[in-house]
Amino acid sequence: SLEALVCDLEPGSIPASHPNILDKLKLCPALTGAQRDALNALLLSGDTAYGDPSSWDLHTLQDLGPLVLALNQTTLSLVAEAAREDFRRSIAAAYISQGHSQREKSLMLLRALAAASAASRARLKRSSDRCRSDPITASNIDDIIYLFPDQLDQLDACLSNEVLIENLEAVLELPIPSEASWVLKKKVDEFFQSSGIPEDQLRRLGVLSRLYTQQEISQWPLTSSDTLSALLSSSGGQWEDSQVQQLLSRYLALGGSLTGPLLQETGGRRLCNLQEEQIQQIPAGAIGTAGQLNISSCSQAKKEQLYGKAREAFASLASSPGPYYCQIRPYLGGAPAEDLKDLANARVAINMDLDTFLALNPKELQKLSVTDVKHLLGENLPELKKAEHEPSVLSWVQLQSQRELDCELGIGLQGGRPQPTGTASPAVPTTPATNVTPVPTTLPTVPSTSASVTSVTTVPTPTAISSHSTPQPSTVPPRTPTPSTLSPTPPDTPPHTGGPTVPTVPTATPSARPTVTTAVPCPTHPAATTDRATS
């Protein structure tokens, strides 16, 4: 429905469109240089109604109509010599009856055909002049291995560029030394020097693609995910990280979108080399199908970007903590504390492994409670003891109560905050009192010999603690002991028998003497009991 509007399409849209676009391009009075290059790339792919250029005949060239004027030397050189000659004669025969405008176009086309024929003949002549043996053809393509590695000049002379391009896959399957690879790359560049390597030919480069510089890669017409996948395939050998980054940058710059399989081919380490703006272009769905990516080398900002996309990709699994954790685990280095707490409180134990725990954002880890960490690690909690000297673990421990670390985790982590200081308890005699002198009901204030004793409490009714005295009547009923008045009693202390005693409780002043603290038992252990209580 675009009709003539296809003449204004961007060059990258031409090879990406349905092959029927060629019929619409015939309506264009003229194409830009970039559009002509895109047109040739589409024709060279062979995925059109016209087939591969090497199979064209006179009728095919005539069917191309105005598009034949846009053919470059690379495309024309692939057309059989006989077909080119027949086409040249048909143009010359019609030239006399043509108008001025049409004659200009015919002359342009005749010059292009003559240039293609001359270039083919010149290449064949140069090869035949320098080649000291039979030229390499499709029938004896395997003979090039005899030219390795000390006859590279004969490889260049006896293997024409045309034969190499037509049999590139067969050549690259041979055991080619690195020196010979550079000769083959040079011949490929010579063949496509006028318009650059078409996208469909990039897929065929194999090991030769690894020889191209970042600058050369930046000129490739890399618009198809299939092309990028073919280039990233490990079958072609190892890429340098800088080359992969340029491949991805070029692909994204031309409007490409990274898919899950492409991310798998790229790998997490090289994914981390992308700019944050480029990572932002990755669809969340691609993360969902990319498998397990190791993004540990990413910056914290990039980890958070990728986590956000992963969280979106696996949102449908959020109600199933187990499967959700398995999918989101590689990206938890970018998770905020709130999400980590949600995982910790899930109804299913996720049993986070120690490596994943140590990969969490240290800033967010400090926001987790002891209970959060306990629930996150689950059965792997004892492993945390092995990592107690890791900086992130050490910082987290120092923020926690040592009592809570002991009671909740119980794995021997040390370095937490000490228990807050409390009020000193009065000393309990370790031997029973034998001769206690009765004390008057109202006691006078006695000066303290210790800086820590600041006051005495008067009690209206005296009691006595003596192992030999008899009970005395009291005018005040005994009070029920409270937890604050309970005091441990040595096992050998005789039972209380009554009598006057000094029920004063000295109050300790922390600044005056070392504070006496009473250990507070963990909630999981029973509190100490007493055999008696002081009134």
Side-chain angles (χ1 to χ4, degrees):
S1 60
L2 289 175
E3 297 296 341
L5 291 179
V6 297
C7 301
D8 297 324
L9 288 178
E10 292 295 327
S13 300
I14 294 177
S17 300
H18 191 279
N20 286 349
I21 194 175
L22 295 177
D23 293 333
K24 303 301 181 183
L25 291 174
K26 293 177 182 179
L27 302 174
C28 302
L31 297 175
T32 65
Q35 287 176 324
R36 288 196 298 269
D37 291 342
L39 170 64
N40 280 274
L42 179 57
L43 291 171
L44 287 170
S45 69
D47 296 332
T48 68
Y50 304 102
D52 191 89
S54 61
S55 65
W56 292 355
D57 56 16
L58 173 61
H59 296 294
T60 307
L61 292 169
Q62 290 174 336
D63 290 343
L64 283 169
L67 297 182
V68 77
L69 296 171
L71 300 182
N72 57 30
Q73 191 176 107
T74 299
T75 305
L76 286 174
S77 64
L78 292 176
V79 180
E81 179 67 29
R84 288 201 306 263
E85 180 61 21
D86 290 342
F87 189 46
R88 186 191 65 78
R89 289 175 181 174
S90 68
I91 294 174
Y95 182 81
I96 300 176
S97 59
Q98 292 174 343
H100 177 74
S101 177
Q102 188 62 35
R103 283 187 177 186
E104 289 294 328
K105 295 178 181 179
S106 296
L107 287 174
M108 186 187 305
L109 186 54
L110 288 171
R111 294 191 192 103
L113 289 170
S117 299
S120 296
R121 288 193 296 271
R123 284 194 296 268
L124 291 174
K125 185 176 186 303
R126 286 195 300 269
S127 295
S128 61
D129 289 346
R130 294 184 291 122
C131 184
R132 296 191 295 268
S133 60
D134 293 335
I136 302 296
T137 63
S139 60
N140 65 341
I141 196 72
D142 291 348
D143 290 350
I144 66 174
I145 62 175
Y146 300 121
L147 305 177
F148 302 152
D150 55 351
Q151 299 187 59
L152 298 181
D153 60 330
Q154 290 300 291
L155 172 63
D156 189 19
C158 299
L159 178 63
S160 69
N161 298 343
E162 290 81 0
V163 172
L164 172 61
I165 296 301
E166 293 173 1
N167 301 275
L168 188 58
E169 288 83 1
V171 172
L172 296 181
E173 288 179 357
L174 300 174
I176 304 173
S178 59
E179 298 85 353
S181 297
W182 286 102
V183 174
L184 299 178
K185 175 187 178 295
K186 179 180 75 70
K187 300 180 79 63
V188 169
D189 292 340
E190 288 176 350
F191 186 82
F192 296 111
Q193 63 180 346
S194 62
S195 60
I197 305 175
E199 182 166 13
D200 65 298
Q201 299 299 315
L202 291 175
R203 307 175 192 179
R204 306 175 60 209
L205 290 179
V207 295
L208 299 184
S209 62
R210 276 61 172 173
L211 304 178
Y212 285 82
T213 65
Q214 295 182 56
Q215 177 60 33
E216 291 173 317
I217 293 173
S218 69
Q219 303 301 317
W220 284 356
L222 196 52
T223 62
S224 168
S225 61
D226 291 338
T227 302
L228 181 58
S229 179
L231 288 169
L232 291 174
S233 174
S234 59
S235 61
Q238 290 295 320
W239 285 97
E240 296 290 338
D241 287 349
S242 58
Q243 291 175 308
V244 174
Q245 184 175 0
Q246 185 60 63
L247 279 171
L248 297 175
S249 298
R250 178 62 173 168
Y251 174 70
L252 292 173
L254 293 179
S257 178
L258 292 176
T259 63
L262 284 177
L263 292 178
Q264 280 184 319
E265 294 278 2
T266 302
R269 179 172 58 85
R270 287 167 173 163
L271 180 63
C272 293
N273 292 332
L274 291 178
Q275 301 297 322
E276 292 181 20
E277 297 78 9
Q278 294 172 325
I279 291 179
Q280 192 60 38
Q281 298 180 43
I282 300 175
I287 297 293
T289 57
Q292 301 287 314
L293 294 177
N294 183 358
I295 62 170
S296 59
S297 61
C298 285
S299 66
Q300 187 57 46
K302 293 177 182 178
K303 288 179 181 179
E304 292 171 5
Q305 276 186 299
L306 292 170
Y307 171 77
K309 293 182 178 294
R311 190 172 184 270
E312 179 182 349
F314 304 123
S316 61
L317 299 175
S319 59
S320 304
Y324 177 77
Y325 170 73
C326 291
Q327 296 294 335
I328 202 74
R329 184 184 62 79
Y331 308 96
L332 288 177
E338 292 78 5
D339 290 2
L340 295 174
K341 288 176 178 289
D342 288 342
L343 283 175
N345 295 326
R347 64 179 184 274
V348 177
I350 61 174
N351 299 321
M352 180 180 290
D353 60 277
L354 185 61
D355 289 340
T356 301
F357 182 81
L358 295 178
L360 298 178
N361 183 356
K363 181 179 178 181
E364 301 301 317
L365 175 60
Q366 309 311 308
K367 302 176 184 178
L368 301 182
S369 68
V370 173
T371 303
D372 292 334
V373 170
K374 178 181 180 180
H375 290 169
L376 280 176
L377 292 174
E379 63 184 21
N380 294 322
L381 179 61
E383 298 294 313
L384 186 60
K385 175 65 177 175
K386 301 177 182 178
E388 63 180 334
H389 298 300
E390 292 288 336
S392 61
V393 177
L394 193 60
S395 300
W396 177 80
V397 167
Q398 292 171 349
L399 294 175
Q400 314 307 316
S401 162
Q402 183 61 50
R403 174 175 175 272
E404 193 173 7
L405 290 172
D406 294 339
C407 297
E408 286 286 335
L409 303 187
I411 58 175
L413 289 181
Q414 298 297 319
R417 293 183 289 104
Q419 180 70 19
T421 58
T423 302
S425 300
V428 178
T430 56
T431 57
T434 56
N435 297 310
V436 178
T437 303
V439 181
T441 302
T442 302
L443 298 177
T445 301
V446 181
S448 173
T449 58
S450 171
S452 63
V453 180
T454 59
S455 63
V456 261
T457 304
T458 59
V459 182
T461 303
T463 57
I465 300 176
S466 174
S467 58
H468 303 287
S469 60
T470 58
Q472 299 294 327
S474 174
T475 60
V476 180
R479 291 181 295 178
T480 302
T482 63
S484 61
T485 60
L486 297 179
S487 176
T489 303
D492 57 347
T493 302
H496 172 71
T497 57
T501 185
V502 181
T504 60
V505 181
T507 302
T509 303
S511 60
R513 60 186 297 178
T515 303
V516 180
T517 60
T518 303
V520 181
C522 297
T524 55
H525 304 295
T529 57
T530 57
D531 295 328
R532 63 175 183 171
T534 59
S535 60

